Amino acid sequence: MLYLQQKLMLESGIAISVSDEEEFETLVEVMSAKAKEDRPVTPREALRRLRGK
């Protein structure tokens, strides 16, 4: 947990007091979230993107 708090503080500017109030699972989920374009897509969506539609 301390390492996660360190990363939150250094990379995101989130205060330790804020991270202490949150659930650990929620913090991990938030920190591992990916941008929409970096998320996996379905084969149908990949084909649609390739066709440019």
Side-chain angles (χ1 to χ4, degrees), residues 8-30:
L8 287 169
M9 188 174 73
L10 294 175
E11 295 179 7
S12 304
I14 296 176
I16 292 174
S17 60
V18 172
S19 66
D20 281 340
E21 295 171 4
E22 295 296 324
E23 293 290 327
F24 180 73
E25 292 82 13
T26 303
L27 287 173
V28 171
E29 186 176 342
V30 167

Side-chain angles (χ1 to χ4, degrees), residues 9 12 20 31 37-38 48 51:
M9 188 174 73
S12 304
D20 281 340
M31 293 304 294
E37 57 272 0
D38 295 334
R48 187 186 66 77
R51 290 182 177 167

Side-chain angles (χ1 to χ4, degrees), residues 42-53:
T42 64
R44 179 175 289 170
E45 176 66 16
L47 184 60
R48 187 186 66 77
R49 289 181 186 179
L50 285 173
R51 290 182 177 167
K53 294 182 179 181

